[in-house]
Amino acid sequence: MLYKPFISACAIALTIAALLPYLRAVAQGRVLAHVFSWVIWGITTFSVFLAQLAEHGGIGAWPIGVSGSLTITVAVLAYRQRKALDIAPSDWCFFLAALSALPLWHWTDDAFTAVLILTAVDILGFAPSFRKAYRQPDSESPGFFALFLLRNILVILALEHYSWTTVLFPAAVAAACTAMIGLILRKRP
């Protein structure tokens, strides 16, 4: 199991490698992050990190914790760019649905139920970004989502305990990243 810390360190490095340039691009206005998606992702990612720790995910959970912290930073920057926001009524629906589901995880005593709810909420968070990428495919970076796809694969490999509670979130986010990459590449001229 000596390789798990190395894999976790690689996943953390990928998280930082993906998010720091993304943060820079958002700050410079080259990427228009959808604030609703990033708020949802920040809350859910950090909450899943705590659930993974409780379920003995160990060192494999740490990349999720780093990601949650940096994701909240993207959400703050996206909010500061609100002049660039294109919020559709459907975005409000997904945002409110996601936020209304968050208290449910708190009321459950079961870590898996919490992660299941948080994963569903996190995937709902992709909807505003999917809509934006469909309409403006150049406003998102497929390379960013490719790094997160790889990061989530490494997270799964680095987990110290495998269960639905520890694996579901990174597997679902990897699948959503794959879909986002496909959408962006398909819609670009």
Side-chain angles (χ1 to χ4, degrees):
M1 299 282 190
L2 292 175
Y3 64 92
K4 293 204 180 257
F6 174 74
I7 294 172
S8 181
C10 289
I12 289 170
L14 275 175
T15 299
I16 293 168
L19 279 171
L20 286 184
Y22 195 86
L23 280 164
R24 196 173 318 118
V26 170
Q28 295 169 348
R30 292 184 289 116
V31 170
L32 302 176
H34 200 293
V35 66
F36 284 3
S37 292
W38 287 93
V39 166
I40 293 166
W41 292 335
I43 293 168
T44 57
T45 301
F46 201 79
S47 298
V48 167
F49 163 65
L50 297 175
Q52 285 180 326
L53 285 180
E55 193 66 16
H56 310 292
I59 198 161
W62 283 99
I64 301 296
V66 170
S67 181
S69 299
L70 291 174
T71 299
I72 291 167
T73 305
V74 173
V76 169
L77 287 176
Y79 176 75
R80 287 185 180 164
Q81 286 183 332
R82 58 188 174 270
K83 65 182 179 298
L85 287 180
D86 175 25
I87 298 177
S90 63
D91 293 345
W92 278 104
C93 291
F94 283 112
F95 184 67
L96 294 175
L99 289 181
S100 68
L102 285 174
L104 295 175
W105 80 270
H106 182 70
W107 293 328
T108 181
D109 288 333
D110 178 50
F112 171 69
T113 304
V115 169
L116 180 64
I117 292 167
L118 290 166
T119 301
V121 169
D122 197 80
I123 298 305
L124 280 175
F126 272 88
S129 288
F130 277 132
R131 184 192 62 79
K132 183 176 70 71
Y134 182 83
R135 296 174 81 199
Q136 301 168 317
D138 291 331
S139 71
E140 287 291 354
S141 166
F144 169 79
F145 288 100
L147 286 174
F148 263 81
L149 169 62
L150 179 59
R151 188 284 308 261
N152 281 293
I153 292 168
L154 291 176
V155 164
I156 292 168
L157 293 173
L159 289 168
E160 293 178 19
H161 173 73
Y162 292 100
S163 68
W164 282 108
T165 302
T166 59
V167 174
L168 177 63
F169 182 80
V173 172
C177 286
T178 302
M180 182 65 100
I181 293 164
L183 173 67
I184 293 167
L185 295 177
R186 184 172 161 257
K187 292 301 292 179
R188 283 193 174 170

